[in-house]
Amino acid sequence: MPNQPAYRQVAVQGKFVRSPSLSMRWIDSPDGSCRFCFLAKKRNGNAVYRNKCRRVLRPLFFGMVPAIEKPVWAMVIVNDPSDVMTPDRLRESALKIFRKMEWKVPEGGSENACEG
């Protein structure tokens, strides 16, 4: 998102979607492009954990952009603490959010993105 008022707009006015490990607040895009921000709170883990969450989620969500018919601005929040989080668990939660949002996962696309 381009600036702090945009974050605030999504946080205050956004609709809410949840999965076991993630929460997502989103609004319809005012500028016609998809924008995502990824938040992992300090209370959930150290900087290494928070950065790992972002590295796993970025390719999944940005890989979905071609399949999103109506662009959104979204704030994706990691709910899991570091002791229970695994990359596979984050991927499963992201796929559940994609299904709830009715975003079609491209063949061989986001499900296989960022393995490892």
Side-chain angles (χ1 to χ4, degrees), residues 9-18 23-28 70 72-75 77 101:
Q9 182 181 6
V10 173
V12 172
Q13 299 172 359
K15 298 172 187 153
F16 210 71
V17 178
R18 290 185 185 186
S23 301
M24 185 173 88
R25 283 196 175 272
W26 62 277
I27 61 171
D28 292 329
K70 194 171 183 183
V72 297
W73 283 6
M75 182 181 300
I77 304 159
M101 294 293 292

Side-chain angles (χ1 to χ4, degrees), residues 10-98:
V10 173
V12 172
Q13 299 172 359
K15 298 172 187 153
F16 210 71
V17 178
R18 290 185 185 186
S19 70
S21 300
L22 302 173
S23 301
M24 185 173 88
R25 283 196 175 272
W26 62 277
I27 61 171
D28 292 329
S29 175
D31 64 359
S33 63
C34 285
R35 296 177 190 260
F36 297 101
C37 70
F38 303 96
L39 303 174
K41 297 181 179 177
K42 278 186 177 181
R43 71 172 185 209
N44 290 348
N46 62 16
V48 173
Y49 162 77
R50 297 191 307 270
N51 290 333
K52 184 174 184 176
C53 291
R54 291 184 193 107
R55 278 195 309 272
V56 169
L57 293 172
R58 265 191 209 116
L60 293 172
F61 279 85
F62 287 111
M64 286 301 299
V65 170
I68 299 172
E69 294 176 12
K70 194 171 183 183
V72 297
W73 283 6
M75 182 181 300
V76 181
I77 304 159
V78 178
N79 299 325
D80 281 351
S82 59
D83 57 343
V84 297
M85 189 285 289
T86 64
D88 289 334
R89 185 175 163 121
L90 279 179
R91 283 187 202 97
E92 289 171 16
S93 289
L95 291 174
K96 286 180 183 177
I97 284 181
F98 299 159

